[in-house]
Amino acid sequence: MSDGTPADQFFDAAIDLLQRVRDEEAQSITAAGTLLADTVVGGGRLFAFGAGHSSLAAQDVVYRAGGLALMNLLAVPGVVGVDVMPATLGSALERVDGLATAVLDTSPLREGDVLIIISLSGRNALPVEMAMSARARGVRVIGVTSVAYATETRSRHVSGTCLRDHCDIVLDSKIAVGDATLTLDTVPAPFAPASTVVTSAILQAVMATAAGALAERGIEPPLLRSGNVDGGHEWNGRVMAEYGDRIFYQQ
């Protein structure tokens, strides 16, 4: 562990992880952004899903100032965040077989769409089944996960597989098993998780890549502007009107 306060140590750990992702996942990030751009051009729709704290990164790319207007949240009741009571229910639902298929059966996803599935461990039934069922429907799947979990822990899905085994593109967050980045002799448990910081950065890098790829093809990226800057609402209204058939959070 580096010297300095715990805050300094956490920043150092997070920066190290971000640099690793930048260096080691560049090709996969480019591929993921290109796939999003291809899907936009082809008339497809874009969705993101995450359970528990992984849902934070999914929400961060939906209806986001500076983000792609076409990103939609695929929500599973009870697992989107800690707003469900008790909060432990969300963790239990991640292990329920059949839930992902039921969600996809009633969702707007169809062949030709892209679904980003975010799961730090990638070992629970919900993200694994989500990826398997989505691909069976002709949906392309981008998985954002920690490969360390897939190699160091056991799958909780009946197939014995993990999220990374059912993706067209895998983005490895490099997060260690347990997530926490710091240890101290005076603290009995590891602490200071970095998965949200790193996963959100990965997804924003993918979104930036997609916007750049669209611009390179002479297509104006369907980006949202902040509603707190002059003209922002008018800008967003134009984008949403143009792509309204592919935006589901305003319906």
Side-chain angles (χ1 to χ4, degrees):
M1 181 180 294
S2 61
D3 295 331
T5 67
D8 291 334
Q9 293 167 9
F10 174 75
F11 280 121
D12 288 343
I15 290 168
D16 286 346
L17 285 164
L18 289 170
Q19 289 178 331
R20 280 193 64 197
V21 168
R22 179 179 183 176
D23 294 341
E24 299 173 18
E25 297 300 301
Q27 185 173 355
S28 295
I29 288 171
T30 297
T34 302
L35 176 56
L36 295 191
D38 291 343
T39 304
V40 171
V41 173
R45 291 89 59 82
L46 311 177
F47 297 84
F49 165 77
H53 286 93
S54 291
S55 71
L56 297 175
Q59 294 177 58
D60 190 49
V61 295
V62 176
Y63 189 50
R64 190 71 161 86
L68 292 174
L70 273 62
M71 287 302 311
N72 298 282
L73 185 67
L74 181 65
V76 178
V79 306
V80 173
V82 294
D83 57 335
V84 63
M85 296 296 290
T88 51
L89 175 61
S91 297
L93 289 174
E94 288 187 64
R95 305 182 189 184
V96 174
D97 292 327
L99 180 56
T101 299
V103 168
L104 291 180
D105 284 344
T106 57
S107 79
L109 265 90
R110 66 188 185 194
E111 183 176 358
D113 293 344
V114 169
L115 173 60
I116 300 172
I117 300 177
I118 306 151
S119 175
L120 177 60
S121 73
R123 67 187 298 221
N124 288 312
L126 184 57
V128 175
E129 182 186 328
M130 183 80 72
M132 295 174 68
S133 186
R135 293 184 84 189
R137 299 161 194 258
V139 174
R140 303 291 294 278
V141 174
I142 298 171
V144 187
T145 188
S146 168
V147 171
Y149 274 89
T151 57
E152 299 176 31
T153 67
R154 181 178 299 176
S155 169
R156 290 178 174 145
H157 187 258
V158 65
S159 68
T161 60
C162 295
L163 172 59
R164 71 164 185 173
D165 300 314
H166 305 285
C167 298
D168 296 281
I169 299 170
V170 175
L171 300 171
D172 182 8
S173 63
K174 315 296 179 182
I175 301 296
V177 173
D179 197 357
T181 60
L182 302 183
T183 58
L184 285 175
D185 293 340
T186 55
V187 179
F191 60 103
S195 60
T196 302
V197 173
V198 176
T199 302
S200 291
I202 289 172
L203 287 179
Q204 292 299 346
V206 171
M207 299 302 137
T209 300
L214 288 168
E216 288 177 358
R217 304 180 197 187
I219 299 170
E220 180 184 320
L223 298 170
L224 294 173
R225 289 189 171 181
S226 171
N228 296 312
V229 300
D230 292 341
H233 287 300
E234 292 76 14
W235 174 281
N236 294 341
R238 175 183 65 82
V239 173
M240 290 184 179
E242 182 176 352
Y243 291 95
D245 61 331
R246 291 192 262 174
I247 298 174
F248 297 95
Y249 51 81
Q250 64 173 353
Q251 298 177 359

